[in-house]
Amino acid sequence: MLGTDVCEFGGQLLELMWLTVCYRGIMADKETDKPIGEEEDETDLNYQPPAQKSLKEIQELDKDDESLTKYKQALLGSGPVVADPTVPNVQVTRLTLMCDQAPGPITMDLTGDLEALKKANFTMKEGVDYRVKIHFKVNREIVSGLKYVHLTYRNRLRVDKAVYMVGSYGPRVEEHEFLTPLEEAPKGMLVRGCYHIKSHFTDDDKTDHLSWEWNLHIKKDWDE
């Protein structure tokens, strides 16, 4: 009788393990279908950003204080760069993988066809040090709490998520630049291959300034 009970218990345990594996697979497939904007950490849900003031409202504050007015003008500029309301306030123009060991620039133009970029492949040698540089413009109003969300997938499963706090910026003619901290590309036979990247540029208000997708191949060498 004891042997029969043990066999029944073993069968139930195997069935439970199988159901667990199936559940994880189903949830992983669901996760890959989420829009990038829904990939935010749950810890962000209780955060309430401060009330946003327009550029004009800030410029009107304490306008009788000459030194403060000069400081605000130096910090914020004289006014909106682009008056056309149909032009986005924030425009992300390009992303570059900065690597001293790369044979050439690894840059993607974000002002063109993002669907074509989704099929593009970029190559990086395993184990190299790199940074991500993002170029963007702010045209009319101050934008606060900008951040870059970088989601990495392999075989439809998310293997990494990075959130970079970019900061708050005012309008100006020149592009702004943001450079991430130095990181090391993965290395080893098991991590070589193709990774699908979902990139998302947002802010405290969860505004989707730009979302795009691209592919990164980790190889043993640059020209492999």
Side-chain angles (χ1 to χ4, degrees):
M1 294 295 293
L2 180 59
T4 302
D5 291 342
V6 170
C7 290
E8 289 179 353
F9 174 74
Q12 292 173 359
L13 180 60
L14 288 173
E15 184 178 359
L16 179 61
M17 292 174 64
W18 173 249
L19 289 173
T20 301
V21 171
C22 291
Y23 174 77
R24 288 179 177 174
I26 292 171
M27 294 306 294
D29 288 340
K30 286 184 177 180
E31 182 176 297
T32 59
D33 294 333
K34 286 183 180 180
I36 296 178
E38 296 180 9
E39 297 279 2
E40 303 292 340
D41 286 332
E42 292 182 359
T43 53
D44 292 340
L45 297 178
N46 295 325
Y47 173 69
Q48 297 295 329
Q52 186 79 8
K53 288 185 178 294
S54 68
L55 181 63
K56 184 176 181 180
E57 288 176 324
I58 294 176
Q59 290 173 331
E60 290 295 321
L61 291 174
D62 302 313
K63 61 181 180 180
D64 295 331
D65 189 326
E66 184 178 353
S67 60
L68 184 58
T69 300
K70 290 182 178 179
Y71 174 75
K72 287 191 292 185
Q73 186 169 357
L75 185 65
L76 305 175
S78 57
V81 177
V82 178
D84 187 353
T86 63
V87 176
N89 184 43
V90 177
Q91 293 177 294
V92 188
T93 58
R94 64 189 184 277
L95 180 146
T96 303
L97 298 175
M98 308 288 294
C99 178
D100 294 337
Q101 302 174 42
I106 309 174
T107 302
M108 58 191 74
D109 180 9
L110 300 177
T111 62
D113 186 356
L114 296 183
E115 281 299 315
L117 184 62
K118 192 175 181 178
K119 302 174 184 177
N121 295 309
F122 300 88
T123 298
M124 179 175 286
K125 180 182 176 182
E126 63 178 359
V128 298
D129 293 330
Y130 72 97
R131 299 174 188 264
V132 176
K133 179 185 280 190
I134 301 175
H135 298 256
F136 62 97
K137 295 179 66 177
V138 179
N139 293 318
R140 287 186 302 278
E141 298 291 346
I142 297 171
V143 60
S144 62
L146 283 172
K147 61 182 176 180
Y148 171 58
V149 183
H150 186 98
L151 306 172
T152 305
Y153 294 81
R154 189 176 188 186
N155 297 326
R156 298 187 63 195
L157 297 178
R158 196 177 80 187
V159 295
D160 187 47
K161 174 180 179 178
V163 179
Y164 302 97
M165 304 310 298
V166 178
S168 301
Y169 295 82
R172 72 178 190 185
V173 176
E174 300 83 6
E175 288 188 342
H176 296 284
E177 294 181 358
F178 173 76
L179 195 63
T180 66
L182 191 67
E183 298 185 56
E184 183 183 25
K187 58 183 176 181
M189 183 176 64
L190 294 178
V191 299
R192 293 177 202 146
C194 183
Y195 294 83
H196 187 69
I197 314 296
K198 293 183 179 181
S199 294
H200 183 52
F201 204 66
T202 183
D203 59 25
D204 277 346
D205 296 325
K206 301 188 183 299
T207 303
D208 182 12
H209 296 297
L210 189 69
S211 294
W212 70 100
E213 300 180 29
W214 48 288
N215 301 294
L216 180 66
H217 282 262
I218 301 295
K219 297 186 176 182
K220 191 174 182 179
D221 211 339
W222 293 104
D223 56 357
E224 186 182 66

